[in-house]
Amino acid sequence: MKLYEKLADDIETLIRKGVYRPGDRVPSVRQASQQHRISITTVIRAYLLLESRGVLESRPQSGYFVSVRVGAGNVRSEELRTSRPIAVSATVDVSRLVLSTLRSIGTDDAVPLGSPYPDPQFFPYEKLNRYAAAAGRRKALWGVTNALPPGTPELVRQIARRYLENGMAVDPNEIIVTVGATEAINLCLQAVAKPGDVIAVESPTFYAMLHAIERSGMKAIEVATHPEYGIEVEALAKIIESGPIAACMVMPNFQNPLGFQMPDERKRELVDLLAKAGIPVIENGVYNELYFGDSHPTTLKSYDQKGMVLHCGSFSKSLTAAYRIGWALPGRYRDEVEKLKFLNTLTTSVIPQLAIAEYLERDGYEHHLRRIRKNYAQQANLMKSMVTRFFPAGTRTSTPMGGYVLWIELPEKADSMKLYQLALARGITIGPGYMFSVSDNYRNFIRLNYSTPWSPEIEQAVITVGRLAASCARQERGGRL
Amino acid sequence: MKLYEKLADDIETLIRKGVYRPGDRVPSVRQASQQHRISITTVIRAYLLLESRGVLESRPQSGYFVSVRVGAGNVRSEELRTSRPIAVSATVDVSRLVLSTLRSIGTDDAVPLGSPYPDPQFFPYEKLNRYAAAAGRRKALWGVTNALPPGTPELVRQIARRYLENGMAVDPNEIIVTVGATEAINLCLQAVAKPGDVIAVESPTFYAMLHAIERSGMKAIEVATHPEYGIEVEALAKIIESGPIAACMVMPNFQNPLGFQMPDERKRELVDLLAKAGIPVIENGVYNELYFGDSHPTTLKSYDQKGMVLHCGSFSKSLTAAYRIGWALPGRYRDEVEKLKFLNTLTTSVIPQLAIAEYLERDGYEHHLRRIRKNYAQQANLMKSMVTRFFPAGTRTSTPMGGYVLWIELPEKADSMKLYQLALARGITIGPGYMFSVSDNYRNFIRLNYSTPWSPEIEQAVITVGRLAASCARQERGGRL
């Protein structure tokens, strides 16, 4: 039995014995940590376990309490509200901010809470490296003409097989291998829209989408998005009525930054709406393998009758980002995307493609995924709990259903860029909300990455960011620090 | 002493003894091959050696003759004329033809005379593979944030060092590493021009340039180009006077397909003209390391005073194409190109960057280059000689000064697409002239690749293409085969 499990059992025993009664406040995390001489993390894990058993309830800014009705389910921390962006299309220019943010993460000793990437230490890079070295001994692979689009047949076959295992039949001939999902998204967008066109996106939206729009000289219009159900189909319908939309870009599963999984019915409605309006939709599915639920989520593409869904995927979030291997399933736009791929970067390097194909064929990808899913799910709870505990009153958080990022709404007066600077000065990076919108809708929001295995350093960093966030909120109200 | 050297000495002895006299025709290549029971290649090598000694002269369609004035220099095969394209801007759509041509090269058993790539067997792929495997054992490299643009510092330093060794001082901070020169050219073009703009190119032009123009929805205008001196500065000046030109794309050294090296004075004039007109120039330098002369050619960039030259390079032609590593030196457009790189493909895979950097630092790149330069120079002579001998009357060829492609003008009536199809049916690929122009200026031209080590199979393929070319020319004239 682990330490936190023992602590949980001890506390539950005290409750069963009536030492703590329903409605009673149990010792704060900090107090319990001091009393038992154990880490804050252990206490939080114990309390989370008791919460999941229905024994404890957490109340924002107050602490943990013995449940009034045991087994009545968890009380969650304050939840986010549906976004209500102003529906005006705007040119996009977020890339410089994102690049400078990513650069700060790249420095070796910064705590990478701001990173959009999974921590690579969970990943089977040693196996991949061995497969790559073996492939590299085959002379024929060092040419180029055998690596032309659509991609290396071995990898294409494995990608198709993986979709099938996840419940989606895919024609291997539809797959175009790309330099990461970044290239796939760019090419798909360029296949369906032209400079100046207006593209509908979620609000907040993953900046990779905004980058593609920026790259192509298009405009973005943000659509109201529910923090658990995703883009609001009704709101999108109104926008479509009010003016021409060339394409829609969405991330229906484990959206970055909100972490939601659109319910199947909503996915179907969205695909139907867009099909009726004749609007292609670019589906970013890079987190699909990282679900916390029981089974692989469905895709928009699986509801697509007309070939209007351009689905993009990648191994960067689930296997390795270093190889830069992604792909597109562009539906009826397949040939155009293939041509654009050829024009954009000619070929995708063949050795990494083969290394991944070999790994997928032989080496327990599903086992690896189960491990990181479990870790991420635990770390999501831990991070959310830490934020609930150590961030200022009025903070709201997302409830990730997959992936590895938490989206946090700070009190309205806190500016995320100021917080970013303050945290960076202390060697901690965060993702400022400005990156996720073409307006300043998310100036008081931040994104935190919880993929790094939990450690005292991460714990202290989260506490520090919480403290700084509180000071930002105060500072703005009081006018000075 | 090698066989062809012995044969050359024997023939020279016969000449010195008066058996053959000045002006006499020596036995044809085929006759000599039969007489001495040696390969056609050996005979051609011997005759080329005697030509270089000034002992023999070749006369197109006639054969080899004893020089009238020994030491008076070579008579060359018929030379190409300066192109005279019609100066009308046109939209570009050559990529489907190029892709289908490249695909046919990709099949394992086709003779790759049509390939734009160097034969990989001269290349040190085993060493690169070892460096890559070693780099891949470093866990830190499997992240992404340490690979953000502009590129891996180790590689950037080596690229800058290489330029310095070749006589051009480069600020390492200007270098942006890309996914091959393909991406570099795309990004440079997009940094300086927008859809609909008109771009001036050589005629014929390397289709990689046309692809970038096509990709970006721009238009191309072809400029008269001398087969030995490159783009005609006066012709370009007239085009600039007649309407707005957003950028100029050129390949001043060992242009694909013509193989010329622009004289320094012409390079300077070109840079001056464009600087005065305020027109940025994209310089494709991917063949610069493959010179046949005594020293590394100069670049347009070395004459650039205003940061208006965007120079692109790559390791694909000189070290390995499989890694897809290129770079841009974008002058005053550096920051824009860096941003576009980030938006287009996020990062360039870091392990190949480090493998190349290690190779450059430790492993005799210059030695490797000397070897392939010598081979390519010999094979250029051999290929040119074979074409002179076995192609129909009226055929003209380029005189490559570097690189590994020969440009061939067939008799006017021969259609290169028909020839392409006929050759392909016999398992031989060629590069049809249609790929090198936005009009059909080069319908009777083909490009042949001579990077593959000479073999009886290559020899027979060239003879076959020559025979098919003759039948195409006849067929067109006579109306039937």
Side-chain angles (χ1 to χ4, degrees):
Chain A
M1 184 185 288
K2 296 202 172 143
L3 191 55
Y4 75 92
E5 290 170 333
K6 186 174 177 310
L7 179 62
D9 286 355
D10 290 349
I11 294 169
E12 189 167 358
T13 304
L14 293 177
I15 291 166
R16 302 288 173 202
K17 288 184 175 172
V19 175
Y20 298 119
R21 283 177 303 186
D24 274 4
R25 191 176 187 280
V26 296
S28 75
V29 170
R30 205 179 282 278
Q31 288 166 339
S33 160
Q34 287 163 355
Q35 287 167 5
H36 300 277
R37 294 175 181 268
I38 52 184
S39 76
I40 284 175
T41 305
T42 304
V43 178
I44 288 176
R45 282 194 161 151
Y47 283 12
L48 284 172
L49 184 60
L50 290 171
E51 228 184 327
S52 74
R53 292 179 188 166
V55 175
L56 292 187
E57 291 174 354
S58 69
R59 294 183 197 160
Q61 310 313 318
S62 307
Y64 279 92
F65 294 78
V66 178
S67 277
V68 178
R69 293 196 308 133
V70 168
N74 311 345
V75 173
R76 284 195 279 207
S77 60
E78 273 200 81
E79 297 297 327
L80 293 169
R81 297 152 297 188
T82 302
S83 67
R84 296 286 171 219
I86 301 160
V88 176
S89 66
T91 54
V92 182
D93 183 19
V94 299
S95 65
R96 285 193 197 280
L97 171 62
V98 175
L99 182 53
S100 89
T101 311
L102 293 180
R103 284 226 174 89
S104 68
I105 296 161
T107 60
D108 288 340
D109 45 1
V111 182
L113 300 181
S115 176
Y117 304 109
D119 190 295
Q121 64 183 293
F122 279 132
F123 287 19
Y125 60 89
E126 285 165 346
K127 287 177 180 171
L128 290 170
N129 198 42
R130 279 199 298 274
Y131 288 125
R137 286 192 284 274
R138 291 162 56 186
K139 187 170 85 176
L141 295 184
W142 291 81
V144 171
T145 46
N146 57 0
L148 289 170
T152 306
E154 291 87 341
L155 181 64
V156 165
R157 195 161 54 239
Q158 291 297 327
I159 292 171
R161 201 194 71 174
R162 186 78 206 148
Y163 275 107
L164 199 63
E165 287 169 0
N166 288 329
M168 185 165 94
V170 160
D171 179 356
N173 294 317
E174 190 184 335
I175 297 171
I176 314 285
V177 177
T178 56
V179 179
T182 303
E183 186 180 41
I185 292 167
N186 273 309
L187 303 184
C188 286
L189 183 60
Q190 288 162 18
V192 301
K194 57 185 194 307
D197 280 353
V198 179
I199 313 300
V201 298
E202 294 148 334
S203 181
T205 186
F206 184 30
Y207 48 72
M209 312 290 224
L210 296 179
H211 286 171
I213 296 170
E214 178 180 346
R215 161 116 181 76
S216 305
M218 300 170 189
K219 290 177 176 178
I221 190 165
E222 295 182 32
V223 183
T225 300
H226 187 280
E228 283 181 51
Y229 307 135
I231 195 165
E232 301 240 308
V233 179
E234 310 73 29
L236 179 59
K238 275 185 195 147
I239 286 173
I240 291 171
E241 276 167 29
S242 70
I245 299 294
C248 181
M249 301 181 89
V250 291
M251 203 169 193
N253 296 316
F254 324 126
Q255 193 242 20
N256 185 332
L258 280 163
F260 59 74
Q261 176 179 342
M262 277 181 87
D264 287 355
E265 197 42 44
R266 288 242 181 174
K267 284 176 181 160
R268 191 191 309 271
E269 281 171 20
L270 178 62
V271 171
D272 286 352
L273 170 73
L274 291 167
K276 266 181 210 136
I279 298 172
V281 54
I282 292 153
E283 175 180 31
N284 184 337
V286 296
Y287 298 108
N288 282 11
E289 296 277 20
L290 304 180
Y291 53 87
F292 300 161
D294 295 331
S295 63
H296 199 277
T298 62
T299 61
L300 296 186
K301 187 156 183 76
S302 63
Y303 298 107
D304 180 24
Q305 305 285 324
K306 296 187 167 179
M308 298 286 279
V309 175
L310 299 89
H311 178 96
C312 301
S314 160
F315 291 109
S316 297
K317 311 299 192 252
S318 53
L319 191 57
T320 176
Y323 276 168
R324 317 295 306 120
I325 302 292
W327 63 86
L329 287 164
R332 64 164 73 171
Y333 304 96
R334 186 216 169 270
D335 290 353
E336 181 63 15
V337 169
E338 182 184 45
K339 188 180 89 167
L340 287 170
K341 160 65 195 176
F342 177 63
L343 293 178
N344 196 47
T345 50
L346 202 61
T347 71
T348 304
S349 196
V350 67
I351 292 172
Q353 290 189 64
L354 273 174
I356 291 179
E358 287 279 309
Y359 174 82
L360 292 186
E361 176 142 10
R362 298 161 183 255
D363 230 324
Y365 186 40
E366 187 56 41
H367 176 78
H368 155 70
L369 288 173
R370 272 200 297 270
R371 178 163 165 259
I372 60 171
R373 282 179 204 130
K374 193 178 147 207
N375 277 304
Y376 291 170
Q378 286 177 350
Q379 288 165 203
N381 274 335
L382 217 46
M383 180 69 86
K384 191 172 158 84
S385 175
M386 290 289 286
V387 169
T388 302
R389 190 131 326 275
F390 292 108
F391 274 52
T395 297
R396 296 163 187 267
T397 64
S398 62
T399 304
M401 301 167 79
Y404 48 78
V405 297
L406 188 71
W407 183 236
I408 299 167
E409 180 178 0
L410 301 173
E412 205 176 336
K413 297 289 180 186
D415 185 288
S416 60
M417 273 314 293
K418 193 167 288 178
L419 179 57
Y420 170 77
Q421 298 295 348
L422 289 171
L424 195 58
R426 284 155 183 84
I428 304 164
T429 64
I430 62 168
Y434 291 92
M435 303 194 295
F436 301 87
S437 173
V438 290
S439 68
D440 60 355
N441 286 326
Y442 302 102
R443 60 186 293 287
N444 59 318
F445 287 68
I446 62 171
R447 185 192 65 185
L448 297 188
N449 178 313
Y450 53 77
S451 71
T452 305
W454 206 257
S455 69
E457 187 194 18
I458 295 282
E459 188 170 297
Q460 192 51 54
V462 176
I463 293 172
T464 300
V465 174
R467 189 168 49 75
L468 294 172
S471 86
C472 280
R474 274 200 306 279
Q475 179 184 13
E476 295 289 335
R477 277 204 296 266
R480 64 189 191 92
L481 197 57
Chain B
M1 185 183 287
K2 297 203 170 143
L3 191 57
Y4 75 92
E5 291 170 335
K6 186 175 178 311
L7 178 63
D9 287 354
D10 291 347
I11 294 169
E12 190 169 353
T13 303
L14 294 176
I15 291 167
R16 301 290 173 200
K17 288 183 174 171
V19 176
Y20 298 120
R21 283 178 300 186
D24 274 3
R25 191 174 185 283
V26 296
S28 76
V29 170
R30 205 179 283 278
Q31 288 166 340
S33 160
Q34 287 162 353
Q35 286 169 5
H36 301 276
R37 294 175 180 269
I38 52 183
S39 75
I40 284 175
T41 305
T42 304
V43 177
I44 287 175
R45 282 196 163 151
Y47 283 11
L48 283 172
L49 183 60
L50 290 171
E51 227 184 329
S52 73
R53 291 179 189 165
V55 175
L56 292 186
E57 291 175 0
S58 69
R59 293 183 199 161
Q61 309 314 318
S62 307
Y64 280 92
F65 295 79
V66 178
S67 277
V68 178
R69 293 197 307 135
V70 168
N74 310 345
V75 173
R76 285 194 279 205
S77 59
E78 273 199 81
E79 297 297 327
L80 294 169
R81 296 152 298 187
T82 301
S83 67
R84 295 286 170 220
I86 300 159
V88 176
S89 66
T91 54
V92 182
D93 183 20
V94 300
S95 65
R96 285 193 197 281
L97 171 61
V98 175
L99 182 54
S100 88
T101 311
L102 293 181
R103 283 228 175 88
S104 68
I105 296 162
T107 60
D108 287 340
D109 46 0
V111 182
L113 299 181
S115 176
Y117 304 109
D119 190 296
Q121 64 183 290
F122 279 133
F123 287 18
Y125 60 89
E126 286 166 345
K127 286 178 181 172
L128 290 170
N129 198 42
R130 279 201 297 275
Y131 287 124
R137 285 192 284 274
R138 291 162 56 187
K139 188 170 84 175
L141 296 184
W142 291 81
V144 171
T145 46
N146 57 1
L148 290 169
T152 306
E154 291 87 341
L155 181 63
V156 165
R157 197 162 52 238
Q158 292 297 328
I159 292 171
R161 201 194 72 175
R162 187 77 206 150
Y163 276 107
L164 198 64
E165 287 169 0
N166 288 329
M168 185 165 92
V170 159
D171 179 356
N173 294 317
E174 189 184 335
I175 297 171
I176 314 286
V177 176
T178 55
V179 179
T182 304
E183 187 181 40
I185 292 167
N186 273 309
L187 303 184
C188 285
L189 182 60
Q190 288 163 19
V192 301
K194 57 185 193 308
D197 281 353
V198 178
I199 313 299
V201 297
E202 294 148 333
S203 182
T205 186
F206 185 29
Y207 49 72
M209 311 292 225
L210 297 178
H211 285 171
I213 296 170
E214 178 179 346
R215 162 116 181 77
S216 305
M218 301 171 188
K219 291 177 176 178
I221 190 165
E222 294 182 32
V223 184
T225 299
H226 187 279
E228 283 180 50
Y229 307 135
I231 195 166
E232 302 240 308
V233 178
E234 309 72 29
L236 179 59
K238 275 184 196 148
I239 286 174
I240 290 171
E241 275 167 30
S242 70
I245 299 295
C248 182
M249 301 181 89
V250 291
M251 202 168 193
N253 296 316
F254 323 128
Q255 195 241 20
N256 186 332
L258 282 164
F260 59 73
Q261 175 179 341
M262 278 181 85
D264 287 354
E265 196 44 42
R266 289 241 183 176
K267 286 176 181 160
R268 191 192 306 272
E269 280 171 21
L270 178 62
V271 171
D272 287 350
L273 170 73
L274 292 167
K276 265 180 211 136
I279 298 172
V281 52
I282 292 154
E283 176 179 31
N284 185 336
V286 297
Y287 297 108
N288 282 10
E289 295 278 20
L290 305 180
Y291 53 89
F292 299 162
D294 295 330
S295 63
H296 198 278
T298 62
T299 61
L300 295 187
K301 188 157 182 74
S302 62
Y303 299 106
D304 180 23
Q305 306 285 323
K306 294 187 167 180
M308 299 286 281
V309 175
L310 299 89
H311 178 96
C312 300
S314 160
F315 291 109
S316 296
K317 311 299 191 253
S318 52
L319 190 57
T320 175
Y323 275 167
R324 316 295 306 118
I325 303 291
W327 62 87
L329 287 164
R332 64 164 72 171
Y333 303 97
R334 186 216 170 269
D335 289 353
E336 182 63 15
V337 169
E338 182 184 44
K339 189 180 89 168
L340 286 170
K341 160 64 195 176
F342 177 62
L343 292 178
N344 195 48
T345 51
L346 203 60
T347 70
T348 304
S349 197
V350 66
I351 292 172
Q353 289 189 64
L354 272 174
I356 291 179
E358 286 280 308
Y359 175 82
L360 292 186
E361 175 142 11
R362 296 161 183 256
D363 231 325
Y365 186 40
E366 186 58 40
H367 176 78
H368 155 70
L369 289 173
R370 272 199 297 269
R371 179 162 165 261
I372 60 172
R373 281 178 205 132
K374 192 178 149 209
N375 276 305
Y376 290 170
Q378 286 177 350
Q379 288 165 203
N381 274 336
L382 219 45
M383 179 68 86
K384 192 173 157 84
S385 175
M386 291 288 286
V387 169
T388 303
R389 188 130 329 272
F390 293 106
F391 274 51
T395 296
R396 297 164 188 266
T397 64
S398 62
T399 304
M401 301 166 79
Y404 47 78
V405 297
L406 188 71
W407 183 237
I408 299 167
E409 180 178 359
L410 301 172
E412 206 176 336
K413 297 287 180 187
D415 185 288
S416 60
M417 273 314 293
K418 193 167 288 179
L419 179 57
Y420 169 77
Q421 299 294 348
L422 290 172
L424 195 59
R426 285 155 181 84
I428 305 165
T429 63
I430 62 167
Y434 290 92
M435 303 194 295
F436 302 87
S437 173
V438 290
S439 68
D440 61 353
N441 287 325
Y442 302 102
R443 60 186 293 286
N444 60 316
F445 287 69
I446 62 169
R447 185 191 65 185
L448 297 187
N449 179 314
Y450 53 76
S451 71
T452 306
W454 206 257
S455 69
E457 187 194 18
I458 295 283
E459 188 170 298
Q460 192 52 53
V462 176
I463 293 171
T464 300
V465 174
R467 188 168 49 76
L468 294 172
S471 86
C472 279
R474 274 199 307 278
Q475 177 184 14
E476 295 289 335
R477 276 204 297 265
R480 63 190 192 91
L481 197 57

